[in-house]
């Protein structure tokens, strides 16, 4: 019988909408239910940090901006103190800065450190990759969210594949079985039953590729099909230029009656909103493993997604939706058109999507596989 573990998660930011943050939250709750003691530390708190405190988790906000600073050194020793006084068995790190600290902590304390890789490294500079090539040898193990992420890490960071385990994201089915509208009209816009309802669940920023979907709408409108596109997400582009570019394109091409930006919808209401949709489109330029794809499939939506990162590992082309090339508005429009025009196929894709999530991307499977990696590395350390 395995013992109860003391696990410390370290992440840069604990906001509510990020995929990594949602993964950490799901793991924390699931591991605690299985009897483990879970502690959290972040470099900057947010809405999710408050929520986790209210859920009874120990949470240390380091209020750290730069790790190569006096505060960075102070935070390092704070974490070392937590690990020693709380007798932590495993430290799990998310993202670049947390990985840097985790490698140093492993060197100083000998604690098991698991690095969680969440994306394809699209924002890593050459100096970051060079640093990873050094510190990867310090980590006890690495978890990749998809085979695509694993292959990218192996290729660019020159690491042996056998120290990386692929553990996909999971979905909590209960959220979709019990989701109900609360507090009035949280969607804040009319949803006509006469139109095919298309959604794009992603924050508005260049890497998510929304502009190509807007261009696809401009193509589809010429076919005289009744449809409407809903963008569900907040504007993540701080300067607002990308969002403004999209708005200008909509205005120039008279697409105002075809597109609605819903903006701020709390994550707890996402299942309710998705259940009102007919098709989900994820036009990203890069993904590790998209929670939006998984959540859309759980809601029974056919998904049109770009063939980047882990998307093809989720969406089975022609069975649960379509995989199209990135930055290809014509391909997006064509795939959406096929689903709109074939109601029988749409219903079949809906059933297949739900079944695929149930068999391969459940929360239960995520917790089980993650726990297995933790125990394997604890045992390896004691040998």
């Amino acid at each position: 019988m395995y013992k109860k573990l003391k696990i410390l998660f370290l992440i840069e930011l604990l906001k509510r909408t990020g995929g990594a943050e949602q993964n950490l939250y799901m793991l924390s709750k699931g591991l605690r239910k299985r009897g483990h003691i879970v502690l959290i530390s972040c470099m900057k708190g947010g809405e999710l940090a408050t929520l986790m405190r209210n859920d009874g988790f120990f949470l240390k906000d380091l209020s750290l901006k730069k790790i190569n600073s006096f505060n960075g050194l102070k935070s390092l020793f704070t974490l070392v103190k937590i690990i020693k006084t709380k007798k932590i068995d495993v430290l799990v790190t998310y993202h670049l800065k947390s990985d840097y600290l985790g490698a140093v902590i492993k060197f100083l304390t000998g604690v098991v450190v698991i690095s969680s890789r969440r994306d394809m490294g699209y924002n890593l500079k050459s100096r970051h990759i060079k640093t990873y090539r050094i510190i990867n040898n310090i980590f006890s193990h690495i978890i990749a969210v998809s085979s695509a992420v694993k292959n990218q890490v192996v290729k660019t960071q020159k690491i042996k594949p056998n120290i990386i385990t692929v553990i996909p994201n999971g979905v909590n089915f209960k959220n979709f079985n019990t989701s109900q509208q609360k507090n009035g009209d949280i969607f804040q816009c009319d949803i006509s039953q006469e139109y095919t309802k298309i959604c794009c669940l992603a924050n508005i920023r260049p890497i998510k590729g929304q502009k190509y979907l807007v261009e696809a709408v401009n193509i589809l409108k010429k076919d005289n099909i009744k449809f409407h596109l809903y963008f569900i997400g907040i504007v993540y582009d701080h300067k607002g230029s990308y969002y403004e570019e999209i708005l200008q394109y909509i205005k120039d091409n008279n697409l105002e009656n075809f597109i609605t930006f819903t903006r701020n919808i709390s994550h707890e209401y996402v299942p309710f909103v998705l259940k009102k949709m007919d098709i989900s489109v994820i036009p990203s330029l890069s993904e590790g493993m998209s929670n939006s794809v998984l959540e859309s499939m759980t809601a029974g939506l056919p998904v049109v997604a770009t063939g980047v990162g882990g998307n093809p590992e989720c969406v089975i082309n022609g069975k649960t939706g379509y995989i199209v090339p990135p930055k290809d508005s014509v391909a997006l429009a064509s795939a959406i058109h096929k689903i709109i025009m074939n109601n029988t196929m749409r219903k079949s894709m809906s059933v297949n999507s739900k079944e695929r999530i149930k068999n391969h991307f459940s929360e239960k499977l995520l917790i089980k596989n993650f726990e297995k990696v933790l125990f394997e590395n604890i045992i390896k350390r004691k040998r």
Side-chain angles (χ1 to χ4, degrees):
M1 180 67 68
Y2 290 136
K3 70 165 188 172
K4 295 179 181 178
L5 296 178
K6 292 184 178 179
I7 306 159
L8 174 62
F9 286 96
L10 175 60
I11 192 167
E12 293 179 20
L13 178 62
L14 270 182
K15 56 186 178 181
R16 189 72 183 269
T17 56
E21 292 84 350
Q22 289 299 322
N23 175 266
L24 184 152
Y25 187 38
M26 181 177 288
L27 282 171
S28 298
K29 292 190 297 181
L31 291 168
R32 186 169 66 175
K33 284 182 180 179
R34 292 179 68 85
H36 303 295
I37 298 172
V38 179
L39 300 85
I40 317 294
S41 183
C42 62
M43 298 182 190
K44 183 180 180 182
E47 183 184 354
L48 188 54
T50 302
L51 178 63
M52 295 189 78
R53 277 201 184 97
N54 293 338
D55 283 347
F57 286 101
F58 169 93
L59 194 145
K60 178 63 179 178
D61 186 345
L62 299 171
S63 300
L64 178 63
K65 292 183 178 180
K66 295 182 178 180
I67 59 174
N68 56 337
S69 64
F70 175 76
N71 284 337
L73 186 62
K74 183 179 177 181
S75 296
L76 174 65
F77 284 107
T78 297
L79 291 169
V80 169
K81 183 178 179 180
I82 291 173
I83 287 169
K84 289 183 176 180
T85 58
K86 301 289 185 180
K87 297 181 179 179
I88 299 297
D89 296 300
V90 185
L91 170 65
V92 182
T93 59
Y94 286 75
H95 302 316
L96 183 68
K97 293 178 183 178
S98 298
D99 284 338
Y100 283 3
L101 288 175
V104 177
I105 290 169
K106 171 71 160 58
F107 180 78
L108 293 175
T109 67
V111 70
V112 171
V113 177
I114 309 291
S115 171
S116 180
R117 305 298 169 86
R118 312 296 307 170
D119 56 47
M120 297 292 287
Y122 66 91
N123 59 350
L124 292 181
K125 296 180 172 58
S126 59
R127 69 176 185 274
H128 300 144
I129 294 174
K130 290 177 181 177
T131 303
Y132 264 128
R133 288 177 181 176
I134 297 171
I135 66 175
N136 280 338
N137 297 313
I138 300 175
F139 296 125
S140 307
H141 204 73
I142 295 172
I143 291 174
V145 74
S146 65
S147 294
V149 169
K150 175 179 178 176
N151 294 338
Q152 182 73 358
V153 171
V154 169
K155 178 182 177 181
T156 61
Q157 299 177 22
K158 311 299 182 185
I159 190 170
K160 294 180 180 179
N162 63 340
I163 73 162
I164 307 179
T165 299
V166 175
I167 302 180
N169 289 334
V171 181
N172 186 332
F173 302 126
K174 291 182 180 179
N175 293 340
F176 288 81
N177 294 333
T178 61
S179 62
Q180 298 178 1
Q181 185 175 8
K182 302 175 183 178
N183 301 325
D185 183 15
I186 57 96
F187 206 57
Q188 297 181 343
C189 59
D190 294 329
I191 304 178
S192 173
Q193 300 302 317
E194 299 178 2
Y195 294 79
T196 299
K197 299 171 288 296
I198 305 167
C199 70
C200 177
L201 178 60
N203 292 330
I204 312 298
R205 51 178 177 154
I207 197 67
K208 295 301 181 180
Q210 284 94 346
K211 78 171 187 176
Y212 300 101
L213 180 52
V214 172
E215 291 173 2
V217 168
N218 195 34
I219 296 171
L220 285 168
K221 80 168 186 178
K222 299 171 185 177
D223 295 330
N224 294 319
I225 302 171
K226 289 186 176 181
F227 73 93
H228 197 89
L229 169 64
Y230 298 90
F231 281 116
I232 306 169
I234 61 174
V235 177
Y236 205 83
D237 180 17
H238 298 297
K239 295 182 180 179
S241 57
Y242 183 67
Y243 178 56
E244 293 299 327
E245 177 186 344
I246 291 174
L247 291 181
Q248 189 61 50
Y249 183 92
I250 291 171
K251 181 179 179 181
D252 292 344
N253 292 277
N254 300 313
L255 300 177
E256 291 91 344
N257 293 330
F258 293 87
I259 298 173
T260 297
F261 289 87
T262 66
R263 304 290 288 275
N264 297 320
I265 291 179
S266 297
H267 190 265
E268 63 188 294
Y269 295 122
V270 165
F272 167 78
V273 173
L274 288 177
K275 283 186 172 184
K276 286 183 169 287
M277 298 293 120
D278 298 306
I279 302 170
S280 177
V281 183
I282 310 297
S284 305
L285 309 187
S286 181
E287 289 284 356
M289 174 161 285
S290 171
N291 279 333
S292 296
V293 167
L294 298 181
E295 289 171 337
S296 296
M297 292 174 68
T298 306
L301 299 182
V303 175
V304 177
T306 47
V308 297
N311 285 350
E313 298 171 42
C314 305
V315 179
I316 305 301
N317 195 42
K319 187 174 181 180
T320 65
Y322 287 108
I323 293 293
V324 301
K327 300 183 180 181
D328 192 334
S329 305
V330 174
L332 279 171
S334 176
I336 295 169
H337 185 273
K338 287 179 184 178
I339 298 174
I340 291 177
M341 300 306 292
N342 192 331
N343 193 48
T344 300
M345 181 177 69
R346 190 196 311 175
K347 290 180 179 179
S348 175
M349 286 180 168
S350 174
V351 173
N352 293 338
S353 289
K354 289 181 180 179
E355 192 67 20
R356 180 156 178 76
I357 294 297
K358 182 179 179 180
N359 292 335
H360 299 282
F361 301 99
S362 68
E363 178 185 21
K364 183 178 180 180
L365 197 58
L366 166 67
I367 303 299
K368 177 184 176 182
N369 290 336
F370 195 88
E371 186 183 50
K372 180 182 177 183
V373 169
L374 298 186
F375 278 122
E376 285 175 348
N377 282 275
I378 290 289
I379 293 170
K380 190 186 300 182
R381 181 194 177 199
K382 292 181 177 179
R383 286 175 181 170

